[in-house]
Amino acid sequence: MLLRSPPSWARHARAVGEWLQGWAGTAGQRTFLAEREGSRWRKVGYREAYELVRRIGQGLLTGDWTPPRRW
């Protein structure tokens, strides 16, 4: 028995970084992560998260990564 799906499936992201890059380009200011800081929320948008991920990755590759000041 051979089963086929009628719809063609869209291309899937190869890795989370690809997915994050896409959302950074289309919805950069939208909140990606949020955490409570007392009575307020600290929010990180898709664009900011993508930039941080790229900085961390590049730093790990070159061996000179230092954490962002906010951490």
Side-chain angles (χ1 to χ4, degrees), residues 8-25:
S8 63
W9 298 100
R11 181 183 159 288
H12 290 69
R14 174 181 64 79
V16 174
E18 248 180 48
W19 168 81
L20 187 57
Q21 180 183 18
W23 279 104

Side-chain angles (χ1 to χ4, degrees), residues 27-58:
Q29 296 302 319
R30 191 181 305 167
T31 300
F32 171 58
L33 299 169
E35 70 176 340
R36 296 284 289 193
E37 282 185 344
S39 62
R40 298 172 47 192
W41 285 92
R42 175 179 172 236
K43 297 178 181 180
V44 176
Y46 284 98
R47 186 173 297 119
E48 182 181 1
Y50 180 62
E51 289 169 6
L52 289 170
V53 166
R54 287 181 51 87
R55 281 183 53 203
I56 292 168
Q58 185 61 46

